[in-house]
Amino acid sequence: MRKAKEHHPDKNRNDPEAHQRFQEIASAYEVLNDPQTRAIYDERGINGLTGRGGGDGPAFDTADLFAQFFASDGMFFDPAGPGAGRRGRGPEVIPHEVTLNDLYNGKTVRMNMERQALCGQCRGSGAKGSAKPKKCVDCDGKGFTIVHTQISPSRLGSSRVMCTSCHGNGEKLKEKDRCKKCKGEKTVTEKKRQEIVIEKGMTNGQRIVLAGAGDEQPGVPAGDVVFVLKVLTHESFERSGNDLLTHIKITLSEALFGFSRILLTHLDGRGIEVTSPPGKILKSDESIVLRGEGMPIHKRPEEKGDLYVILSIEMPDDEWLKTIDTKALELLLPPKRKNPEPLPNVVTQANFEESDIMDFGDDEDDWEDDDDDDEYDEDGQQPECTPQ
């Protein structure tokens, strides 16, 4: 209660607002010091304490009683109190979709953006010529009004609500005194050409900040515009860190006798030629690594990760089999596997049928446990025993 003592009316006899601030602090402390009302406020905010589920009452701004006085360490503070400087606007976050090619090669994106900029004619005052705004009579120039709310039968809470007459400015201009260009709004819409540089090796979720490119407001530093990269799925390559992964099909002949050809086209359009070792038989799903052919490392684009290639063997089709001497080919190939020894005691003949692996497990939802149905009723409760 250090803040309550600081703002006690007896210690601030010359401050007409001290009594009001002291009441606000005391009301907030009562609510937050009671475990029951504190839990309600944490879950549903001020509306939960007043019994309202949502949005028919006045809208509380950032000067909300509890938001402005309560901090996690239990102390109270007022960010909009006397002498407090106005904080800048928060950043405007914009998701920006990029391809893996963009991150591999780098890219500069130019775009037209709109923002609210200070009016150049009135320099952000909103007034025409030498006209001056007058203090708002509804809020007495404070920019907010005090709303008293019944928190509980024995508690009355006070909260600050933005003045709807002056929109929180604390002052108003007469219609005839308003700037002709901005109509008294103090800002105008400005179109500006901006560019963002996507550097080689950047990653998904990385942020590109345009400092001060956000909306302007009188007396408040302009906010930043932040682009957050969202990488689209690539049809051929996958990325993990600075490494890349791709799948390549080779023929049965290449798997048996090797290959020396352009195996793939990289993200920058280069053909990557690879020669397999002579006498090496490649198996299906075998992987090879191409060192230094992965993603450029961010800020060190001359260095790159590795490219992993998973090889799958493309078998000949049925039509090809009809064009060759199958018996001669069979003699050239390794012999077929024989039945295991010893033979199982029981052997069942099954029919060969082609299938789609996606059908695997389709009947899982139809499975039921009869025993469970006997032990529990419809509500999932065990039946009570009936005494005999």
Side-chain angles (χ1 to χ4, degrees):
M1 291 296 290
R2 194 181 349 170
K3 280 291 180 182
K5 294 179 180 179
E6 179 183 333
H7 291 282
H8 196 283
D10 292 344
K11 292 188 176 182
N12 299 272
R13 297 181 185 277
N14 297 324
D15 185 354
E17 296 184 4
H19 181 72
Q20 180 63 50
R21 284 199 299 270
F22 177 77
Q23 285 186 327
E24 292 174 355
I25 294 171
S27 297
Y29 181 80
E30 284 185 28
V31 170
L32 299 175
N33 197 45
D34 186 308
Q36 183 177 358
T37 54
R38 170 64 183 268
I40 295 174
Y41 177 76
D42 287 344
E43 182 178 354
R44 297 195 296 270
I46 189 68
N47 287 341
L49 294 169
T50 58
R52 297 196 307 268
D56 293 333
F60 292 89
D61 66 358
T62 53
D64 177 358
L65 169 65
F66 300 103
Q68 64 176 301
F69 286 120
F70 181 70
S72 59
D73 58 359
M75 296 305 297
F76 298 99
F77 66 98
D78 184 357
R86 300 188 68 181
R87 294 181 297 176
R89 296 176 63 92
E92 179 183 358
V93 180
I94 303 174
H96 184 72
E97 293 184 343
V98 292
T99 65
L100 199 55
N101 302 67
D102 296 335
L103 301 183
Y104 186 90
N105 300 299
K107 185 178 182 180
T108 299
V109 180
R110 296 175 178 84
M111 62 187 75
N112 293 320
M113 296 181 62
E114 288 187 357
R115 70 165 185 167
Q116 292 300 307
L118 292 181
C119 176
Q121 185 166 319
C122 66
R123 297 182 180 180
S125 69
K128 180 173 60 176
S130 59
K132 299 291 184 182
K134 304 295 183 182
K135 182 171 71 173
C136 176
V137 296
D138 293 336
C139 65
D140 196 28
K142 299 175 183 177
F144 63 87
T145 56
I146 301 299
V147 174
H148 298 285
T149 309
Q150 190 74 35
I151 297 175
S152 67
S154 61
R155 293 192 180 115
L156 185 66
S158 301
S159 300
R160 297 184 182 187
V161 181
M162 183 182 70
C163 177
T164 55
S165 181
C166 65
H167 303 292
N169 293 318
E171 55 188 20
K172 296 171 63 176
L173 277 168
K174 295 180 179 179
E175 188 70 33
K176 65 181 183 67
D177 293 334
R178 294 181 180 179
C179 171
K180 291 184 178 181
K181 184 175 181 181
C182 67
K183 305 297 188 292
E185 296 296 327
K186 303 181 181 180
T187 60
V188 293
T189 301
E190 176 187 74
K191 293 183 179 179
K192 191 173 182 179
R193 188 78 167 170
Q194 296 281 9
E195 79 173 30
I196 60 173
V197 178
I198 301 168
E199 299 174 355
K200 293 181 180 181
M202 279 187 160
T203 59
N204 185 55
Q206 195 154 356
R207 299 155 66 91
I208 300 175
V209 180
L210 299 182
D215 292 336
E216 293 182 336
Q217 186 178 340
V220 179
D224 300 335
V225 176
V226 180
F227 290 90
V228 180
L229 301 184
K230 180 181 179 182
V231 184
L232 301 174
T233 301
H234 198 276
E235 61 180 5
S236 302
F237 292 92
E238 299 175 38
R239 180 183 184 178
S240 178
N242 294 315
D243 293 336
L244 290 172
L245 173 69
T246 190
H247 294 255
I248 297 294
K249 289 183 178 181
I250 60 174
T251 66
L252 177 59
S253 177
E254 289 177 320
L256 294 173
F257 308 114
F259 58 82
S260 180
R261 65 176 175 92
I262 296 176
L263 204 59
L264 58 96
T265 301
H266 215 312
L267 293 166
D268 56 358
R270 288 180 298 125
I272 305 299
E273 184 175 342
V274 180
T275 301
S276 62
K280 168 70 174 177
I281 294 180
L282 299 171
K283 301 175 180 63
S284 185
D285 294 331
E286 190 168 340
S287 65
I288 62 174
V289 60
L290 307 180
R291 301 293 181 188
E293 288 295 349
M295 289 293 295
I297 298 175
H298 189 221
K299 300 298 184 182
R300 304 197 310 272
E302 68 282 353
E303 302 177 33
K304 295 180 181 178
D306 299 325
L307 171 58
Y308 290 82
V309 181
I310 297 179
L311 302 172
S312 60
I313 299 174
E314 191 174 28
M315 300 298 291
D317 57 21
D318 296 343
E319 293 301 319
W320 173 82
L321 201 59
K322 296 176 182 178
T323 64
I324 64 167
D325 186 342
T326 56
K327 291 184 178 180
L329 177 60
E330 190 173 354
L331 293 174
L332 294 174
L333 293 174
K336 297 179 181 179
R337 291 186 183 273
K338 297 180 180 180
N339 283 328
E341 294 290 346
L343 289 173
N345 294 331
V346 179
V347 177
T348 301
Q349 184 72 36
N351 293 328
F352 180 92
E353 180 182 349
E354 294 184 358
S355 70
D356 185 346
I357 193 61
M358 298 303 295
D359 295 336
F360 176 72
D362 272 358
D363 61 347
E364 184 176 359
D365 294 338
D366 298 333
W367 180 83
E368 294 182 359
D369 190 338
D370 294 337
D371 292 340
D372 287 348
D373 292 341
D374 294 339
E375 293 181 9
Y376 296 89
D377 59 20
E378 293 180 356
D379 297 329
Q381 302 295 324
Q382 289 182 319
E384 296 181 1
C385 296
T386 305
Q388 300 293 327

